[in-house]
Amino acid sequence: MTAQQKPDFDAIAVGAGFAGLALIHYLREAGLSIRVIDRAADIGGTWTWNRYPGAMTDSESYYYCLTFSKELLQEWSWTRRYPDWEETHRYMHFVADKIGAWPHIQLNTEVVSADYQEDTGYWLVTTSDGNTSTCKYFVSAMGMISEPVIPKIDGMDKFKGPLFHSSRWPQEGLDYAGKRVGIIGAGATTVQMTPVMAKDAESVTVFQRTPNFILPAMQKPMTPEWEKEIKENYDEIVAKCRNHVFGMAFDSPVGRNVADTPPEEVQRIFEENWTGSFRWVFETFDDLLSNPEANRAASQFIIDKMKERVDDPEIAELLTPSTDDYPLFAKRPPLDHGYLEAFNRDNVHLVDIKDREPIVEITETGVRTSKNLYEFDIIVLATGFRAYTGALEAFPIRGKSGQTLAEKWQKTSNSIMGVCVADFPNLFTITGPQAPFANLPTSIEQNAIWIADCIKKMENEDYDVCAPRQDAEDEWSAHVAEVHEQTLMAEGDKVHSWMMGANIENHKPRVLIYFGGANVYYDKLRESVEAGFPELEFQRLAS
Ligand code: NAP
């Protein structure tokens, strides 16, 4: 086959969540044919897999959405500040219907390998049904938190009841009313799940290794007045996201540092802004994530707030980190909808598996720690994800030399701006490693725009191959590492932070996230487009 023979599709993308939908929009707009493949039975990505009770967004609804169409923004009405998975899922169906995405989507199909073909510049994509398809551009829209981490605990196969990872919640639902539920892990997922399950379960027992800094979500309904204000100001909201360090519609920078503010004033500002969401971190002071003393002041404020909400001082102590443990944001802080108060109920229990009673094994009937056997009907592994690289390493994606991404990324997980990887021509990744960690729809759209613009250049100028340059990858990775070292997030390796892949057993922690500001990163993507993609080498194959 020569490059002149047309592939089956211009682009094949894996993943029918926000990224898949955005790609359908942007690539179709560029006049390309696209097929989006997903192994799930429905679109939604994260919001189709994570159906656990209480699953909801931590970004506020009105900017946790796609912004490429004013019509989409104006026609959809959110019911509350943070939508649960069902509402987000309904929204995604609304988008798919509105943009006519369905003919481009193939569900219930798993991609099992993707191989770059040097002679044509095409990718050969093999699916679990045994079919193969070719495409010129292969795009990962698989999400940066989608591949679960399953802990290795002795006896896991012995448990008689349902035992599953939180992101593999039974799609048909699970009746846990009156049942004894054990949850292993105490991260953002557990913080959302526990108070909801506690209402109907006979008991909920959380096995906690590391306590988290937990911020209040402060859910509230969307009132007609609030909705009107949002819809009248959507251009400004979208611009705010585009210009914010974490891609959120927050005011920033606030131009104030803890270091320059008298302590009583710091406390007053902390208190005044204690109104829910991550706003508190970004709308109080600019130095919380860079200055250890400022971070310590913020951490202590959170600790005091957390302890106020838990009746039993011993449980309160166990649930809260100390400022000496690790800085705020070295682990991604969960947002809370009643998790802490749930421990005031008689049917919710906390087991400290770090210092007091580590888990020894899972038995037929429950979890055995060094001190007790806890009996359960259901065990949920809320043990997190192999972030950024997991989905890209879960099946072989073989580049130029036949090397897979997993092989390439054994020690470091380098990329160019999280959107492409040296030695993997015509491959694009949405929110790949070394992209920022930000409000995901904002980053997804910025990535999709860069990818669509790059493909438009390829097609307009008749190129067969775009090869990411090794020197550009080295340069970006060095920059990301340098910035990372200047933040307190670099301490995440001490506390198993997924933000450094430090939550994966036998895996060297690494720099996975660009912390130089999502807004700065989006500017860099734009500059790359304007400069004609200097990170890539464009080639024509001999016909
Ligand atoms: P996570 O934050 O990585 O938490 C995993 C938990 O499992 C931690 O408490 C961890 O303990 C524990 N754990 C892992 N391996 C273990 C083992 N072998 N034995 C005992 N405990 C173990 O995972 P997550 O809660 O699923 O959240 C991951 C990320 O997904 C979040 O940070 C967030 O970005 C995203 N998320 C978002 C939302 C939202 O936006 N609405 C909701 C949920 C999740 P250690 O801390 O000691 O490692």
Side-chain angles (χ1 to χ4, degrees), residues 99-245:
I99 68 170
W102 295 105
H104 305 282
I105 298 173
Q106 181 179 342
L107 298 170
N108 296 305
T109 309
E110 185 161 0
V111 172
V112 294
S113 64
D115 291 85
Y116 179 67
Q117 315 284 294
E118 263 192 85
D119 54 343
T120 58
Y122 295 162
W123 282 84
L124 182 70
V125 178
T126 306
T127 44
S128 48
D129 51 15
N131 288 327
T132 54
S133 309
T134 53
C135 60
K136 185 164 170 185
Y137 308 104
F138 183 58
V139 192
S140 165
M142 293 188 280
M144 38 69 73
I145 304 183
S146 50
E147 193 62 27
V149 168
I150 309 293
K152 292 188 184 73
I153 303 174
D154 281 348
M156 267 196 343
D157 52 334
K158 293 195 185 127
F159 185 64
K160 294 281 189 221
L163 179 155
F164 50 86
H165 188 271
S166 53
S167 70
R168 297 295 178 266
W169 198 268
Q171 296 284 298
E172 65 285 5
L174 179 75
D175 181 13
Y176 57 84
K179 306 259 170 71
R180 299 160 303 169
V181 181
I183 304 177
I184 300 181
T189 297
T190 299
V191 168
Q192 289 189 335
M193 187 187 293
T194 302
V196 181
M197 292 192 83
K199 286 184 196 149
D200 295 314
E202 179 184 316
S203 65
V204 177
T205 303
V206 175
F207 293 87
Q208 172 192 280
R209 199 162 60 182
T210 312
N212 277 294
F213 291 105
I214 296 176
L215 294 161
M218 300 198 190
Q219 176 71 291
K220 57 182 178 184
M222 178 67 68
T223 60
E225 300 73 42
W226 191 20
E227 181 174 6
K228 183 166 177 284
E229 188 193 327
I230 288 166
K231 290 193 171 168
E232 283 173 0
N233 291 292
Y234 247 130
D235 287 346
E236 196 191 322
I237 290 165
V238 173
K240 267 190 177 180
C241 290
R242 167 64 181 74
N243 294 311
H244 184 260
V245 284

Side-chain angles (χ1 to χ4, degrees), residues 190-500:
T190 299
V191 168
Q192 289 189 335
M193 187 187 293
T194 302
V196 181
M197 292 192 83
K199 286 184 196 149
D200 295 314
E202 179 184 316
S203 65
V204 177
T205 303
V206 175
F207 293 87
Q208 172 192 280
R209 199 162 60 182
T210 312
N212 277 294
F213 291 105
I214 296 176
L215 294 161
M218 300 198 190
Q219 176 71 291
K220 57 182 178 184
M222 178 67 68
T223 60
E225 300 73 42
W226 191 20
E227 181 174 6
K228 183 166 177 284
E229 188 193 327
I230 288 166
K231 290 193 171 168
E232 283 173 0
N233 291 292
Y234 247 130
D235 287 346
E236 196 191 322
I237 290 165
V238 173
K240 267 190 177 180
C241 290
R242 167 64 181 74
N243 294 311
H244 184 260
V245 284
F246 272 67
M248 308 263 189
F250 296 169
D251 292 323
S252 70
V254 289
R256 204 169 38 203
N257 288 326
V258 170
D260 311 322
T261 311
E264 326 74 69
E265 183 65 359
V266 169
Q267 295 304 310
R268 191 191 64 73
I269 291 167
F270 277 158
E271 191 64 55
E272 205 174 274
N273 285 277
W274 195 248
T275 54
S277 107
F278 297 117
R279 283 178 184 277
W280 187 82
V281 179
F282 298 103
E283 292 188 344
T284 50
F285 296 97
D286 292 338
D287 57 350
L288 299 189
L289 306 185
S290 55
N291 173 354
E293 283 315 309
N295 189 287
R296 205 170 254 273
S299 302
Q300 189 58 53
F301 187 87
I302 296 172
I303 290 167
D304 294 345
K305 287 286 187 192
M306 285 176 68
K307 286 187 175 166
E308 276 172 17
R309 293 166 55 198
V310 184
D311 295 344
D312 181 335
E314 201 185 333
I315 299 291
E317 196 59 40
L318 281 179
L319 281 168
T320 40
S322 114
T323 52
D324 295 332
D325 290 348
Y326 63 93
L328 169 67
F329 252 91
K331 282 171 99 64
R332 192 275 211 182
L335 283 198
D336 168 30
H337 297 259
Y339 177 70
L340 296 169
E341 286 81 1
F343 289 93
N344 299 335
R345 300 173 63 111
D346 293 339
N347 69 336
V348 178
H349 314 289
L350 185 70
V351 180
D352 172 13
I353 55 171
K354 184 171 170 230
D355 296 322
R356 296 192 182 182
E357 42 179 317
I359 294 177
V360 175
E361 62 169 343
I362 291 180
T363 69
E364 283 188 9
T365 57
V367 175
R368 188 190 302 284
T369 66
S370 58
K371 291 199 178 137
N372 290 298
L373 171 65
Y374 296 88
E375 303 227 310
F376 298 118
D377 303 303
I378 297 166
I379 296 178
V380 183
L381 306 173
T383 44
F385 297 86
R386 196 175 173 105
Y388 284 94
T389 59
L392 290 158
E393 295 175 334
F395 63 88
I397 299 177
R398 294 187 193 89
K400 208 169 160 199
S401 55
Q403 187 190 42
T404 63
L405 281 172
E407 285 160 355
K408 172 173 167 123
W409 284 340
Q410 281 183 34
K411 293 203 175 83
T412 55
S413 301
N414 293 350
S415 80
I416 301 176
M417 298 189 286
V419 281
C420 57
V421 182
D423 287 330
F424 290 78
N426 294 1
L427 168 78
F428 299 109
T429 55
I430 292 202
T431 61
Q434 302 186 336
F437 177 45
N439 181 41
L440 279 163
T442 312
S443 281
I444 284 168
E445 276 196 274
Q446 294 299 319
N447 282 179
I449 291 168
W450 186 91
I451 292 166
D453 283 343
C454 179
I455 293 179
K456 276 188 232 167
K457 177 183 168 74
M458 291 275 293
E459 297 304 305
N460 291 342
E461 299 176 26
D462 226 7
Y463 286 114
D464 299 307
V465 176
C466 61
R469 300 168 62 111
Q470 185 62 55
D471 58 345
E473 183 175 284
D474 294 344
E475 201 180 311
W476 178 251
S477 301
H479 174 57
V480 174
E482 192 186 335
V483 172
H484 187 258
E485 274 313 305
Q486 292 161 17
T487 71
L488 295 168
M489 279 72 111
E491 296 192 33
D493 58 341
K494 296 181 197 141
V495 277
H496 324 122
S497 171
W498 62 257
M499 295 194 288
M500 294 183 69

